[in-house]
Amino acid sequence: MLKLAVIPGAICGGCDVALASVGEKLLDVLKYYEIVYWPIAIDRKLSDLEAVEEIDALIYMGGVSTSEEYELARKLSSKSRVKVALGTCSVYGGIPGLNSLSSPLEVYKVNMGKSDHWIQGDSLGLPQLIPYMAYTDVVEPDILAPGCPPSGKVLDQLLEQLIEYAVKGEIEHKPILLGDPESLCNKCPRNPKTTKIKMPGIYRLHEVELDDKKCFLEQGILCMGPATRNICDHSCIKTNYPCTGCGGPLEWGGDSGVSMISSIGSILLVDSEKSLLEPGLTREIDKLRDYIGTFYRYTLRKSMLYKLRELKKGGLK
Amino acid sequence: MSWRPRIIAFFCKWCAGSAAETAGVMRLRYDPNIVPIIVPCTGRIDPQLVVSAFLNGADGVLIGGCHTPNDCHYSSGNFKAFKRVYMLRKMLAEVGVEPERVRLEWISATEAPKLVRVVNEFVEEVRRLGPMGGSRA
Ligand code: SF4
Ligand code: SF4
Ligand code: SF4
Ligand code: FES
């Protein structure tokens, strides 16, 4: 029997529940693996896991936000053969990655107001808040399973990979980014296919009577589809909600934010550019608020823009 | 003191690029800190290229294309560039990078003196902003 450990780092709980909800399919994996640690599913102490000498497959969910999580992620990963980053927080930093624009102290103050436990952390023996990181900033995983939380499709692919590893004893073409290597638009039921997508303006959801058959961008609603990997077979879009980009960029190392502004540049008000001219286009674009929160909602921590910020601060060689 | 700004300039072949050539023929001098890259059209410049330029050591990026509304050789590449650069500058500001490090100008093939003025102004501006990479000398 191979050993499988599932570690919750800085998670909201969503990834843990998503993995547990896979249900019976887990039984196929359990033909090959014994679960040695997974707090939501089995009763084992962390000390038991620390005593295990080698882990065959380690699934790390969530980001890394405290000194304790950092140590755990490093120590356990170093004795694991296959490392899996599960969920967008783990792979790209996720929504808490937006914290990267502030110091841990600033983040703490927003959340905790006057309480000073964090400041006292050391003397009380509490873990310290550290600048937030994705799991992929701490180690290089073999399998990357994005999604906030990961869809059934990604989880199925993950279980297949784990079984394949159990059978073959190796993972080829690492790192493997799960999901399909195409943008969400590619197979989107709303993609107009025969005509080019044109964006008539920029609107917020409440300003438009949504047509549930028509591409969101064609209705002036931001949809991250063009810059997002198909990890979910359009689950939000099918419920008449635009993609907010939880799947991350099309490829590992890609960047969804700059790709998205490039797409918008190609399609926004293309029929009236020559009459609106620069001032007219500017007026429309000025409706966009919070570029980082919109275009990097889930992936800021691994983005080019974050690297640029670090470079600017002098923290990047 | 001895720091010299490194500037990448993307010029479209038809307008700003020709102006740069004309400037050469006319023996107009412009600041040598600039590395011109000729592209077919400014509509070809992905914002990713601009950010990559910074990540690879540029302190400023200048983009020169054909005048709006009607001069772009491919009809409306310049408008695409305008929208992308406008959004990119906003994005840069949000992560604490001065948007002035990216400048977009329309320069026709006959405007060599304008090209020279824009280049020199921009080099001065970037010099004032200092190096992109914090303490890099
Ligand atoms: S990826 Fe989403 S669901 Fe998973 S831990 Fe992060 S926020 Fe929660
Ligand atoms: S932009 Fe969104 S709605 Fe339109 S085709 Fe792409 S994924 Fe579908
Ligand atoms: S549609 Fe977009 S936001 Fe929704 S699950 Fe898919 S990738 Fe995530
Ligand atoms: S050809 Fe000059 S901007 Fe398009």
Side-chain angles (χ1 to χ4, degrees):
Chain A
M1 273 298 208
L2 300 178
K3 294 190 174 68
L4 173 69
V6 185
I7 314 292
I11 56 166
C12 73
C15 284
D16 220 357
V17 171
L19 183 61
S21 318
V22 166
E24 287 165 13
K25 287 182 189 154
L26 272 175
L27 296 178
D28 295 335
V29 172
L30 296 183
K31 288 182 193 146
Y32 304 92
Y33 293 86
E34 158 201 10
I35 299 178
V36 291
Y37 187 75
W38 186 7
I40 200 180
I42 65 162
D43 187 13
R44 251 348 124 68
K45 299 281 172 289
L46 203 51
S47 51
D48 300 330
L49 182 59
E50 276 162 2
V52 173
E53 249 167 52
E54 280 193 330
I55 300 168
D56 294 286
L58 176 101
I59 298 178
Y60 187 97
M61 304 173 293
V64 179
S65 67
T66 65
S67 49
E68 188 179 45
E69 283 156 6
Y70 180 76
E71 281 312 314
L72 201 65
R74 270 200 3 188
K75 257 201 293 188
L76 297 177
S77 303
S78 69
K79 61 177 180 183
S80 301
R81 293 214 165 84
V82 174
K83 296 173 282 293
V84 180
L86 181 64
T88 298
C89 290
S90 185
V91 182
Y92 295 110
I95 292 176
L98 293 169
N99 280 347
S100 309
L101 297 183
S102 317
S103 72
L105 184 59
E106 285 164 330
V107 173
Y108 182 84
K109 279 189 175 155
V110 170
N111 290 311
M112 303 297 184
K114 288 208 183 69
S115 144
D116 61 354
H117 280 92
W118 179 62
I119 327 249
Q120 295 179 21
D122 245 355
S123 59
L124 297 175
L126 295 173
Q128 293 287 291
L129 275 181
I130 57 172
Y132 181 83
M133 284 179 271
Y135 177 56
T136 51
D137 291 317
V138 181
V139 300
E140 283 176 29
D142 307 286
I143 301 175
L144 306 158
C148 178
S151 62
K153 171 193 181 109
V154 161
L155 292 167
D156 285 354
Q157 290 176 348
L158 172 60
L159 300 186
E160 274 166 35
Q161 287 291 339
L162 290 178
I163 292 174
E164 197 178 313
Y165 172 72
V167 175
K168 286 197 189 158
E170 62 170 340
I171 298 245
E172 286 165 5
H173 312 298
K174 296 187 283 196
I176 297 174
L177 180 62
L178 300 180
D180 297 344
E182 60 179 13
S183 79
L184 268 178
C185 293
N186 203 28
K187 294 204 185 91
C188 179
R190 299 187 184 210
N191 190 325
K193 297 270 173 8
T194 49
T195 52
K196 248 193 95 204
I197 293 178
K198 291 178 185 170
M199 206 175 174
I202 298 172
Y203 305 106
R204 305 183 64 181
L205 275 172
H206 67 272
E207 295 176 300
V208 197
E209 186 102 26
L210 278 182
D211 175 341
D212 64 6
K213 302 265 172 331
K214 201 169 162 191
C215 166
F216 283 103
L217 291 174
E218 292 210 297
Q219 306 184 64
I221 300 293
L222 289 178
C223 175
M224 288 288 287
T228 303
R229 186 173 174 93
N230 179 5
I231 58 146
C232 61
D233 292 328
H234 319 93
S235 53
C236 298
I237 293 153
K238 283 176 184 159
T239 58
N240 207 17
Y241 196 81
C243 172
T244 53
C246 87
L250 307 195
E251 299 296 340
W252 181 232
D255 190 294
S256 31
V258 280
S259 313
M260 195 59 207
I261 59 170
S262 187
S263 301
I264 295 175
S266 321
I267 61 174
L268 179 66
L269 292 166
V270 274
D271 289 337
S272 35
E273 288 165 336
K274 295 194 187 203
S275 53
L276 287 170
L277 301 176
E278 291 90 331
L281 293 170
T282 305
R283 258 196 309 282
E284 199 59 31
I285 299 175
D286 279 342
K287 292 190 190 166
L288 286 174
R289 291 279 182 274
D290 185 13
Y291 281 69
I292 297 301
T294 306
F295 300 117
Y296 289 111
R297 184 170 305 172
Y298 303 90
T299 58
L300 179 65
R301 192 59 181 74
K302 303 299 277 190
S303 70
M304 292 178 100
L305 267 278
Y306 179 75
K307 290 196 185 93
L308 202 56
R309 176 191 164 86
E310 288 300 287
L311 175 71
K312 182 76 212 311
K313 283 171 38 193
L316 218 143
K317 295 282 131 49
Chain B
M1 287 141 275
S2 62
W3 172 73
R4 296 167 58 180
R6 277 187 280 189
I7 291 169
I8 300 289
F10 294 107
F11 292 146
C12 87
K13 166 179 164 191
W14 301 95
C15 292
S18 319
E21 257 177 49
T22 315
V25 175
M26 290 168 71
R27 297 182 183 279
L28 298 173
R29 293 179 60 83
Y30 57 81
D31 207 297
N33 291 321
I34 196 150
V35 182
I37 296 175
I38 307 298
V39 295
C41 172
T42 55
R44 166 67 185 80
I45 303 163
D46 196 295
Q48 199 150 336
L49 284 178
V50 178
V51 180
S52 298
F54 285 123
L55 289 175
N56 287 292
D59 302 298
V61 175
L62 176 64
I63 298 172
C66 311
H67 281 275
T68 53
N70 294 318
D71 287 3
C72 172
H73 195 75
Y74 305 93
S75 173
S76 61
N78 48 4
F79 282 110
K80 312 285 174 287
F82 174 78
K83 287 179 272 183
R84 291 179 183 140
V85 168
Y86 188 81
M87 289 185 273
L88 180 64
R89 288 171 51 124
K90 295 269 179 188
M91 221 177 215
L92 292 177
E94 284 189 18
V95 293
V97 173
E98 304 88 348
E100 294 82 11
R101 291 183 188 273
V102 183
R103 178 161 171 181
L104 174 68
E105 283 286 345
W106 309 136
I107 303 166
S108 81
T110 57
E111 292 178 313
K114 175 172 179 184
L115 179 113
V116 171
R117 173 176 64 76
V118 166
V119 167
N120 291 340
E121 267 175 27
F122 188 59
V123 172
E124 218 21 72
E125 168 91 48
V126 175
R127 193 170 275 137
R128 193 182 60 76
L129 291 170
M132 177 71 196
S135 58
R136 193 171 42 120

